Coordinates of all heavy atoms in Angstrom, one line a residue:
A152 N -27.4 29.9 -14.9 CA -27.8 29.9 -13.6 C -29.2 30.3 -13.4 O -29.7 31.1 -14.3 CB -26.9 30.8 -12.7
P153 N -30.0 29.8 -12.4 CA -31.3 30.3 -12.2 C -31.2 31.8 -11.7 O -30.2 32.3 -11.3 CB -31.8 29.4 -11.0 CG -30.9 28.2 -11.0 CD -29.6 28.7 -11.6
E154 N -32.3 32.5 -11.8 CA -32.4 33.9 -11.4 C -31.8 34.1 -10.0 O -31.2 35.1 -9.7 CB -33.8 34.5 -11.6 CG -34.2 34.7 -13.0 CD -35.6 35.3 -13.1 OE1 -36.5 34.7 -12.5 OE2 -35.7 36.4 -13.7
S155 N -32.1 33.2 -9.1 CA -31.7 33.4 -7.7 C -30.2 33.3 -7.6 O -29.6 33.8 -6.6 CB -32.3 32.3 -6.8 OG -32.0 31.0 -7.3
M156 N -29.5 32.7 -8.5 CA -28.0 32.5 -8.5 C -27.3 33.4 -9.5 O -26.1 33.2 -9.8 CB -27.6 31.0 -8.7 CG -28.1 30.1 -7.6 SD -27.0 30.4 -6.1 CE -25.4 29.9 -6.7
Q157 N -28.0 34.3 -10.1 CA -27.5 35.1 -11.2 C -26.3 35.9 -10.8 O -25.2 35.9 -11.5 CB -28.5 36.0 -11.8 CG -28.0 36.8 -13.0 CD -29.1 37.6 -13.7 OE1 -30.3 37.5 -13.3 NE2 -28.8 38.3 -14.7
K158 N -26.4 36.6 -9.7 CA -25.3 37.5 -9.3 C -24.0 36.7 -8.9 O -22.9 37.0 -9.3 CB -25.7 38.3 -8.1 CG -26.7 39.4 -8.5 CD -27.1 40.3 -7.3 CE -28.1 41.3 -7.6 NZ -28.4 42.2 -6.5
V159 N -24.2 35.6 -8.2 CA -23.1 34.7 -7.8 C -22.4 34.1 -9.0 O -21.2 34.1 -9.1 CB -23.6 33.6 -6.8 CG1 -22.4 32.7 -6.5 CG2 -24.2 34.2 -5.5
T160 N -23.2 33.6 -9.9 CA -22.7 33.0 -11.1 C -22.0 34.0 -12.0 O -20.9 33.8 -12.6 CB -23.8 32.3 -11.9 OG1 -24.4 31.4 -11.0 CG2 -23.2 31.5 -13.1
A161 N -22.6 35.2 -12.0 CA -22.0 36.3 -12.8 C -20.6 36.7 -12.3 O -19.6 36.9 -13.1 CB -22.9 37.5 -12.9
A162 N -20.4 36.7 -11.0 CA -19.1 37.0 -10.4 C -18.1 35.9 -10.7 O -16.9 36.2 -11.0 CB -19.3 37.2 -8.9
V163 N -18.5 34.7 -10.6 CA -17.6 33.6 -11.0 C -17.3 33.6 -12.5 O -16.1 33.4 -12.9 CB -18.2 32.2 -10.6 CG1 -17.4 31.1 -11.1 CG2 -18.4 32.1 -9.0
F164 N -18.3 33.9 -13.3 CA -18.0 34.0 -14.7 C -17.0 35.1 -15.0 O -16.1 34.9 -15.8 CB -19.4 34.3 -15.4 CG -19.3 34.4 -16.9 CD1 -19.3 33.3 -17.7 CD2 -19.2 35.6 -17.5 CE1 -19.2 33.4 -19.1 CE2 -19.1 35.8 -18.9 CZ -19.1 34.6 -19.7
E165 N -17.1 36.2 -14.4 CA -16.1 37.3 -14.6 C -14.8 36.9 -14.1 O -13.7 37.2 -14.7 CB -16.6 38.5 -13.8 CG -17.8 39.2 -14.4 CD -17.6 39.7 -15.9 OE1 -16.4 40.1 -16.2 OE2 -18.5 39.7 -16.7
Q166 N -14.7 36.1 -13.0 CA -13.4 35.7 -12.5 C -12.7 34.7 -13.5 O -11.5 34.8 -13.8 CB -13.6 35.0 -11.1 CG -12.3 34.4 -10.6 CD -12.5 33.7 -9.3 OE1 -13.6 33.6 -8.7 NE2 -11.4 33.0 -8.8
V167 N -13.5 33.8 -14.0 CA -13.0 32.8 -15.0 C -12.5 33.5 -16.3 O -11.4 33.3 -16.8 CB -14.0 31.7 -15.2 CG1 -13.5 30.8 -16.3 CG2 -14.2 30.9 -13.9
T168 N -13.4 34.3 -16.8 CA -13.1 34.9 -18.1 C -12.0 35.9 -18.0 O -11.2 36.1 -18.9 CB -14.3 35.6 -18.7 OG1 -14.9 36.5 -17.7 CG2 -15.4 34.6 -19.0
G169 N -11.9 36.6 -16.8 CA -10.9 37.6 -16.6 C -9.5 37.0 -16.5 O -8.5 37.6 -16.8
S170 N -9.4 35.7 -16.0 CA -8.1 35.1 -15.8 C -7.8 34.0 -16.9 O -6.8 33.4 -16.9 CB -8.1 34.4 -14.4 OG -9.2 33.4 -14.4
F171 N -8.8 33.9 -17.8 CA -8.6 32.8 -18.9 C -7.5 33.2 -19.8 O -7.3 34.3 -20.3 CB -9.9 32.7 -19.6 CG -9.9 31.7 -20.7 CD1 -10.0 30.3 -20.4 CD2 -9.7 32.0 -22.0 CE1 -10.0 29.3 -21.4 CE2 -9.7 31.1 -23.0 CZ -9.8 29.7 -22.7
E172 N -6.6 32.1 -20.1 CA -5.5 32.3 -21.0 C -5.4 31.0 -21.9 O -5.7 29.9 -21.4 CB -4.2 32.5 -20.3 CG -4.1 33.8 -19.6 CD -2.7 34.0 -18.9 OE1 -1.9 33.1 -19.0 OE2 -2.5 35.1 -18.3
I173 N -5.1 31.2 -23.1 CA -4.9 30.1 -24.1 C -3.4 29.8 -24.1 O -2.6 30.7 -24.3 CB -5.4 30.4 -25.5 CG1 -6.9 30.7 -25.4 CG2 -5.1 29.3 -26.4 CD1 -7.4 31.3 -26.7
T174 N -3.0 28.6 -23.8 CA -1.6 28.2 -23.7 C -1.1 27.6 -25.0 O 0.1 27.3 -25.1 CB -1.4 27.2 -22.5 OG1 -2.3 26.0 -22.8 CG2 -1.9 27.8 -21.2
A175 N -1.9 27.3 -26.0 CA -1.4 26.7 -27.2 C -0.7 27.8 -28.0 O -0.9 29.0 -27.9 CB -2.6 26.2 -28.0
G176 N 0.2 27.3 -28.9 CA 0.9 28.3 -29.8 C -0.1 28.8 -30.9 O -0.8 28.1 -31.5
L177 N -0.1 30.2 -31.0 CA -1.1 30.8 -31.9 C -0.4 31.5 -33.1 O 0.8 31.9 -33.0 CB -1.9 31.8 -31.1 CG -2.7 31.3 -29.9 CD1 -3.4 32.5 -29.2 CD2 -3.6 30.2 -30.2
S178 N -1.1 31.6 -34.1 CA -0.7 32.4 -35.3 C -1.1 33.8 -35.2 O -2.1 34.2 -34.5 CB -1.3 31.8 -36.6 OG -1.0 32.6 -37.7
D179 N -0.3 34.7 -35.8 CA -0.6 36.1 -35.7 C -1.8 36.5 -36.6 O -2.4 37.5 -36.4 CB 0.6 37.0 -36.1 CG 1.8 36.8 -35.1 OD1 1.5 36.6 -33.9 OD2 2.9 37.0 -35.5
N180 N -2.0 35.6 -37.6 CA -3.1 35.9 -38.5 C -4.3 35.0 -38.2 O -4.2 33.8 -38.1 CB -2.7 35.6 -40.0 CG -1.6 36.5 -40.4 OD1 -1.6 37.7 -40.1 ND2 -0.6 36.0 -41.1
L181 N -5.4 35.6 -37.9 CA -6.6 34.8 -37.5 C -7.2 34.1 -38.7 O -7.6 32.9 -38.6 CB -7.7 35.8 -36.9 CG -9.1 35.1 -36.7 CD1 -9.0 34.0 -35.7 CD2 -10.1 36.2 -36.2
Y182 N -7.4 34.7 -39.8 CA -8.1 34.2 -40.9 C -7.2 33.3 -41.8 O -6.0 33.5 -42.0 CB -8.7 35.3 -41.8 CG -9.7 36.2 -41.0 CD1 -9.5 37.5 -40.9 CD2 -10.8 35.6 -40.4 CE1 -10.3 38.3 -40.2 CE2 -11.7 36.4 -39.7 CZ -11.4 37.7 -39.6 OH -12.3 38.5 -38.9
A183 N -7.9 32.2 -42.3 CA -7.2 31.2 -43.1 C -6.9 31.9 -44.5 O -7.7 32.7 -45.0 CB -8.0 30.0 -43.3
V184 N -5.7 31.6 -45.0 CA -5.3 32.2 -46.3 C -5.8 31.3 -47.4 O -5.7 30.1 -47.3 CB -3.7 32.2 -46.3 CG1 -3.3 32.8 -47.7 CG2 -3.2 33.1 -45.2
Q185 N -6.4 32.0 -48.4 CA -6.9 31.2 -49.5 C -5.8 30.6 -50.3 O -4.8 31.3 -50.6 CB -7.7 32.2 -50.4 CG -8.3 31.5 -51.7 CD -9.5 30.6 -51.3 OE1 -10.2 30.9 -50.4 NE2 -9.6 29.5 -52.0
D186 N -5.9 29.3 -50.6 CA -4.9 28.6 -51.4 C -5.2 28.7 -52.8 O -6.2 28.1 -53.3 CB -4.9 27.1 -50.9 CG -3.8 26.3 -51.6 OD1 -2.9 27.0 -52.3 OD2 -3.7 25.1 -51.5
F187 N -4.4 29.4 -53.6 CA -4.6 29.7 -55.0 C -3.9 28.7 -55.9 O -3.9 28.8 -57.1 CB -4.2 31.1 -55.4 CG -5.1 32.1 -54.8 CD1 -4.7 32.8 -53.6 CD2 -6.4 32.4 -55.3 CE1 -5.6 33.8 -53.1 CE2 -7.2 33.4 -54.8 CZ -6.8 34.1 -53.6
S188 N -3.2 27.8 -55.3 CA -2.3 26.8 -56.1 C -3.2 26.0 -57.1 O -2.8 25.8 -58.2 CB -1.5 25.9 -55.2 OG -2.4 25.1 -54.4
T189 N -4.4 25.6 -56.6 CA -5.3 24.8 -57.5 C -5.7 25.6 -58.6 O -5.8 25.1 -59.8 CB -6.5 24.3 -56.7 OG1 -6.0 23.5 -55.5 CG2 -7.4 23.4 -57.5
Y190 N -6.1 26.9 -58.4 CA -6.6 27.7 -59.4 C -5.5 28.0 -60.4 O -5.7 28.1 -61.6 CB -7.2 29.0 -58.9 CG -8.3 28.8 -57.9 CD1 -8.1 28.8 -56.5 CD2 -9.6 28.6 -58.4 CE1 -9.2 28.6 -55.7 CE2 -10.7 28.4 -57.5 CZ -10.5 28.4 -56.2 OH -11.5 28.2 -55.3
L191 N -4.2 28.2 -60.0 CA -3.1 28.4 -60.9 C -2.9 27.3 -61.8 O -2.6 27.4 -63.0 CB -1.9 28.8 -60.0 CG -1.9 30.1 -59.3 CD1 -0.6 30.3 -58.4 CD2 -2.0 31.3 -60.3
I192 N -3.0 26.1 -61.2 CA -2.8 24.9 -62.0 C -3.9 24.8 -63.1 O -3.6 24.5 -64.3 CB -2.8 23.6 -61.2 CG1 -1.6 23.6 -60.2 CG2 -2.8 22.3 -62.0 CD1 -1.6 22.5 -59.3
I193 N -5.1 25.0 -62.7 CA -6.2 25.0 -63.7 C -6.0 26.1 -64.8 O -6.2 25.8 -66.0 CB -7.6 25.2 -63.0 CG1 -7.9 24.0 -62.1 CG2 -8.7 25.4 -64.0 CD1 -9.1 24.2 -61.2
L194 N -5.6 27.3 -64.4 CA -5.3 28.3 -65.3 C -4.2 28.0 -66.3 O -4.3 28.2 -67.5 CB -5.0 29.6 -64.6 CG -4.7 30.9 -65.5 CD1 -5.8 31.2 -66.3 CD2 -4.3 32.0 -64.6
L195 N -3.1 27.3 -65.8 CA -2.0 26.9 -66.6 C -2.5 25.9 -67.6 O -2.1 25.9 -68.8 CB -0.9 26.3 -65.7 CG 0.3 25.8 -66.5 CD1 1.0 26.9 -67.3 CD2 1.3 25.2 -65.5
I196 N -3.3 24.9 -67.2 CA -3.8 23.9 -68.1 C -4.6 24.5 -69.2 O -4.5 24.2 -70.4 CB -4.6 22.9 -67.4 CG1 -3.7 22.1 -66.4 CG2 -5.3 21.9 -68.3 CD1 -4.4 21.1 -65.5
L197 N -5.5 25.5 -68.9 CA -6.3 26.2 -69.9 C -5.4 26.9 -70.9 O -5.7 26.9 -72.1 CB -7.3 27.1 -69.2 CG -8.4 26.4 -68.4 CD1 -9.2 27.5 -67.7 CD2 -9.3 25.6 -69.3
M198 N -4.4 27.6 -70.4 CA -3.5 28.4 -71.2 C -2.8 27.4 -72.2 O -2.6 27.8 -73.4 CB -2.5 29.2 -70.4 CG -3.1 30.3 -69.6 SD -1.9 31.1 -68.5 CE -0.8 31.8 -69.7
L199 N -2.3 26.3 -71.7 CA -1.7 25.3 -72.6 C -2.6 24.8 -73.6 O -2.2 24.6 -74.8 CB -1.1 24.2 -71.8 CG 0.1 24.5 -70.9 CD1 0.5 23.4 -70.0 CD2 1.3 25.0 -71.7
M200 N -3.9 24.5 -73.2 CA -4.8 24.0 -74.2 C -5.1 25.1 -75.3 O -5.1 24.7 -76.5 CB -6.2 23.7 -73.5 CG -6.1 22.5 -72.5 SD -7.6 22.3 -71.6 CE -8.8 22.0 -73.0
V201 N -5.2 26.3 -74.9 CA -5.4 27.4 -75.9 C -4.2 27.5 -76.8 O -4.3 27.6 -78.1 CB -5.7 28.7 -75.2 CG1 -5.7 29.9 -76.2 CG2 -7.0 28.7 -74.5
F202 N -3.0 27.4 -76.2 CA -1.8 27.5 -77.0 C -1.7 26.4 -78.1 O -1.4 26.7 -79.3 CB -0.5 27.4 -76.1 CG 0.8 27.3 -76.8 CD1 1.3 28.4 -77.5 CD2 1.4 26.1 -76.8 CE1 2.5 28.2 -78.2 CE2 2.6 25.9 -77.5 CZ 3.2 27.0 -78.2
F203 N -1.9 25.1 -77.6 CA -1.7 24.0 -78.6 C -2.9 24.0 -79.6 O -2.6 23.6 -80.8 CB -1.7 22.7 -77.8 CG -0.4 22.4 -77.1 CD1 -0.3 22.4 -75.8 CD2 0.8 22.3 -77.9 CE1 0.9 22.2 -75.1 CE2 2.0 22.0 -77.3 CZ 2.1 22.0 -75.9
Y204 N -4.0 24.4 -79.2 CA -5.1 24.5 -80.2 C -4.8 25.5 -81.2 O -5.0 25.3 -82.4 CB -6.4 24.8 -79.4 CG -7.6 25.0 -80.4 CD1 -8.3 24.0 -80.9 CD2 -8.0 26.3 -80.7 CE1 -9.4 24.2 -81.8 CE2 -9.1 26.5 -81.6 CZ -9.8 25.4 -82.1 OH -10.8 25.6 -83.0
T205 N -4.4 26.7 -80.8 CA -4.0 27.8 -81.8 C -2.9 27.3 -82.7 O -2.9 27.6 -83.9 CB -3.7 29.1 -81.0 OG1 -4.7 29.4 -80.1 CG2 -3.4 30.2 -82.0
R206 N -1.9 26.7 -82.1 CA -0.8 26.3 -82.9 C -1.2 25.2 -83.9 O -0.7 25.2 -85.0 CB 0.3 25.7 -81.9 CG 1.6 25.2 -82.6 CD 2.6 24.7 -81.6 NE 3.8 24.2 -82.3 CZ 3.9 22.9 -82.7 NH1 2.8 22.1 -82.6 NH2 5.0 22.5 -83.3
N207 N -2.0 24.3 -83.5 CA -2.5 23.2 -84.4 C -3.3 23.8 -85.5 O -3.1 23.4 -86.7 CB -3.3 22.2 -83.6 CG -3.8 21.1 -84.5 OD1 -2.9 20.3 -85.0 ND2 -5.1 20.9 -84.7
R208 N -4.1 24.8 -85.2 CA -4.9 25.4 -86.3 C -4.0 26.2 -87.3 O -4.2 26.1 -88.5 CB -5.9 26.4 -85.7 CG -7.0 25.8 -84.8 CD -8.0 25.0 -85.7 NE -8.7 25.9 -86.6 CZ -9.6 25.5 -87.5 NH1 -9.8 24.2 -87.6 NH2 -10.3 26.4 -88.2
R209 N -2.9 26.8 -86.8 CA -2.0 27.5 -87.6 C -1.2 26.5 -88.5 O -1.0 26.8 -89.7 CB -1.0 28.3 -86.8 CG -0.1 29.2 -87.6 CD 0.7 30.2 -86.7 NE 1.5 29.5 -85.7 CZ 1.3 29.4 -84.5 NH1 0.2 30.0 -83.9 NH2 2.1 28.8 -83.6
V210 N -0.8 25.4 -87.9 CA -0.1 24.4 -88.7 C -1.0 23.8 -89.8 O -0.6 23.6 -90.9 CB 0.4 23.3 -87.8 CG1 1.0 22.1 -88.6 CG2 1.5 23.8 -86.9
Q211 N -2.3 23.5 -89.4 CA -3.1 22.9 -90.4 C -3.4 23.8 -91.6 O -3.6 23.4 -92.7 CB -4.5 22.6 -89.7 CG -4.4 21.5 -88.7 CD -3.9 20.2 -89.3 OE1 -4.3 19.9 -90.5 NE2 -3.2 19.4 -88.6
R212 N -3.4 25.1 -91.4 CA -3.7 26.0 -92.5 C -2.4 26.4 -93.2 O -2.5 27.1 -94.3 CB -4.3 27.3 -91.9 CG -5.7 27.1 -91.3 CD -6.2 28.3 -90.7 NE -7.6 28.1 -90.1 CZ -8.3 29.0 -89.4 NH1 -7.8 30.2 -89.3 NH2 -9.4 28.7 -89.0
S213 N -1.3 26.0 -92.8 CA 0.0 26.4 -93.4 C 0.3 25.4 -94.5 O 0.1 24.2 -94.5 CB 1.1 26.4 -92.4 OG 2.4 26.6 -93.0
R214 N 0.9 26.0 -95.6 CA 1.4 25.1 -96.7 C 2.6 24.3 -96.3 O 2.8 23.2 -96.8 CB 1.7 26.0 -97.9 CG 0.5 26.6 -98.5 CD 0.9 27.4 -99.8 NE -0.3 28.0 -100.4 CZ -0.2 28.7 -101.6 NH1 1.0 28.9 -102.1 NH2 -1.3 29.2 -102.1
N215 N 3.4 24.8 -95.4 CA 4.6 24.1 -95.0 C 4.4 23.9 -93.4 O 4.9 24.8 -92.7 CB 5.8 24.9 -95.3 CG 6.0 25.1 -96.8 OD1 5.9 24.2 -97.6 ND2 6.2 26.3 -97.2
P216 N 3.8 22.9 -93.0 CA 3.6 22.7 -91.5 C 4.8 22.7 -90.7 O 4.8 23.2 -89.6 CB 2.9 21.3 -91.5 CG 2.3 21.1 -92.9 CD 3.3 21.8 -93.8
L217 N 5.9 22.2 -91.2 CA 7.2 22.2 -90.5 C 8.2 23.2 -91.0 O 9.4 23.0 -91.0 CB 7.8 20.8 -90.4 CG 6.9 19.8 -89.7 CD1 7.6 18.5 -89.7 CD2 6.7 20.2 -88.3
G218 N 7.7 24.3 -91.6 CA 8.6 25.2 -92.2 C 8.8 24.9 -93.7 O 7.9 24.4 -94.4
K219 N 9.9 25.2 -94.2 CA 10.2 25.0 -95.6 C 10.3 23.5 -96.0 O 10.0 23.1 -97.1 CB 11.5 25.7 -95.9 CG 11.5 27.2 -95.8 CD 12.8 27.8 -96.2 CE 12.8 29.3 -96.0 NZ 14.1 29.9 -96.4
D220 N 10.7 22.7 -95.0 CA 10.8 21.2 -95.3 C 9.6 20.5 -94.9 O 9.3 20.3 -93.7 CB 12.0 20.7 -94.6 CG 12.3 19.2 -95.0 OD1 11.6 18.7 -95.9 OD2 13.1 18.6 -94.3
S221 N 8.7 20.2 -95.9 CA 7.5 19.5 -95.6 C 7.4 18.2 -96.4 O 6.3 17.8 -96.8 CB 6.3 20.4 -95.8 OG 6.3 20.8 -97.1
R222 N 8.5 17.6 -96.6 CA 8.6 16.3 -97.4 C 7.9 15.2 -96.7 O 7.5 14.2 -97.3 CB 10.0 16.0 -97.8 CG 10.7 16.9 -98.7 CD 12.1 16.6 -98.9 NE 12.9 16.7 -97.7 CZ 14.2 16.4 -97.6 NH1 14.8 15.9 -98.6 NH2 14.7 16.5 -96.4
N223 N 7.9 15.2 -95.3 CA 7.4 14.1 -94.5 C 5.9 14.2 -94.3 O 5.3 13.4 -93.5 CB 8.1 14.0 -93.2 CG 9.6 13.7 -93.4 OD1 9.9 13.0 -94.3 ND2 10.4 14.3 -92.5
F224 N 5.2 15.2 -94.9 CA 3.8 15.4 -94.7 C 3.0 15.6 -96.0 O 3.6 15.9 -97.0 CB 3.5 16.6 -93.8 CG 4.1 16.5 -92.4 CD1 5.4 16.8 -92.1 CD2 3.3 16.0 -91.4 CE1 5.9 16.6 -90.8 CE2 3.8 15.9 -90.1 CZ 5.1 16.2 -89.8
W225 N 1.8 15.3 -96.0 CA 0.9 15.5 -97.2 C -0.4 16.1 -96.7 O -0.8 15.8 -95.6 CB 0.7 14.2 -98.0 CG 0.0 13.1 -97.2 CD1 0.6 12.2 -96.4 CD2 -1.4 12.8 -97.2 NE1 -0.3 11.4 -95.9 CE2 -1.5 11.7 -96.4 CE3 -2.5 13.3 -97.9 CZ2 -2.8 11.1 -96.2 CZ3 -3.7 12.7 -97.7 CH2 -3.9 11.6 -96.8
R226 N -1.0 16.9 -97.5 CA -2.2 17.6 -97.1 C -3.4 17.0 -97.8 O -3.3 16.8 -99.1 CB -2.2 19.1 -97.3 CG -3.4 19.9 -96.8 CD -3.3 21.3 -97.2 NE -2.1 22.0 -96.6 CZ -2.1 22.4 -95.3 NH1 -3.2 22.2 -94.5 NH2 -1.0 22.9 -94.8
C227 N -4.5 16.7 -97.1 CA -5.7 16.1 -97.7 C -6.4 17.2 -98.5 O -6.8 18.2 -97.9 CB -6.5 15.5 -96.7 SG -8.1 14.8 -97.3
P228 N -6.7 17.0 -99.8 CA -7.4 18.1 -100.5 C -8.8 18.1 -100.2 O -9.5 19.2 -100.5 CB -7.2 17.6 -102.0 CG -7.0 16.1 -101.9 CD -6.3 15.9 -100.6
S229 N -9.4 17.1 -99.5 CA -10.8 17.1 -99.2 C -11.1 18.0 -97.9 O -12.0 18.8 -97.9 CB -11.3 15.7 -98.9 OG -11.1 14.9 -100.1
C230 N -10.2 17.8 -96.9 CA -10.5 18.5 -95.6 C -9.3 19.4 -95.2 O -9.4 20.1 -94.1 CB -10.8 17.5 -94.5 SG -9.5 16.4 -94.1
A231 N -8.2 19.4 -95.9 CA -7.0 20.2 -95.7 C -6.3 19.8 -94.4 O -5.5 20.5 -93.9 CB -7.4 21.7 -95.5
R232 N -6.5 18.6 -94.0 CA -5.8 18.0 -92.8 C -4.4 17.7 -93.2 O -4.1 17.1 -94.3 CB -6.5 16.7 -92.3 CG -5.8 15.9 -91.3 CD -5.9 16.5 -89.9 NE -5.1 15.7 -89.0 CZ -5.2 15.9 -87.6 NH1 -6.0 16.9 -87.2 NH2 -4.5 15.1 -86.8
V233 N -3.4 18.0 -92.3 CA -2.0 17.6 -92.6 C -1.8 16.3 -92.0 O -2.1 16.1 -90.8 CB -1.1 18.7 -92.0 CG1 0.4 18.2 -92.1 CG2 -1.3 20.0 -92.6
N234 N -1.3 15.3 -92.7 CA -1.0 14.0 -92.3 C 0.4 13.6 -92.6 O 1.1 14.1 -93.5 CB -1.9 13.0 -93.0 CG -3.4 13.3 -92.8 OD1 -4.0 12.9 -91.8 ND2 -4.0 14.0 -93.7
H235 N 1.0 12.7 -91.8 CA 2.3 12.2 -92.0 C 2.3 11.3 -93.2 O 1.3 10.6 -93.5 CB 2.8 11.5 -90.7 CG 4.3 11.3 -90.7 ND1 4.9 10.2 -91.2 CD2 5.3 12.1 -90.2 CE1 6.2 10.3 -91.1 NE2 6.5 11.5 -90.5
I236 N 3.5 11.2 -93.9 CA 3.5 10.3 -95.1 C 3.3 8.9 -94.8 O 3.0 8.1 -95.7 CB 4.9 10.5 -95.8 CG1 6.1 10.2 -94.8 CG2 5.0 11.9 -96.3 CD1 7.4 10.2 -95.4

Side-chain angles (χ1 to χ4, degrees):
E154 286 184 303
S155 58
M156 291 288 296
Q157 181 175 358
K158 291 184 179 181
V159 175
T160 305
V163 171
F164 180 82
E165 291 296 329
Q166 178 184 353
V167 172
T168 56
S170 61
F171 180 79
E172 293 182 359
I173 299 172
T174 58
L177 303 181
S178 171
D179 294 333
N180 298 320
L181 169 63
Y182 299 122
V184 179
Q185 181 71 38
D186 185 9
F187 291 101
S188 59
T189 303
Y190 300 100
L191 289 176
I192 293 174
I193 295 175
L194 179 61
L195 178 60
I196 293 174
L197 292 175
M198 290 176 63
L199 289 174
M200 290 175 61
V201 171
F202 170 76
F203 285 114
Y204 175 79
T205 305
R206 179 179 179 274
N207 183 61
R208 294 290 293 176
R209 187 171 60 251
V210 169
Q211 293 297 325
R212 294 176 179 178
S213 173
R214 292 184 177 181
N215 301 311
L217 294 181
K219 295 181 180 180
D220 186 8
S221 55
R222 292 175 298 175
N223 296 325
F224 293 87
W225 61 277
R226 184 182 299 278
C227 177
S229 299
C230 66
R232 169 79 179 188
V233 174
N234 300 276
H235 196 271
I236 58 175

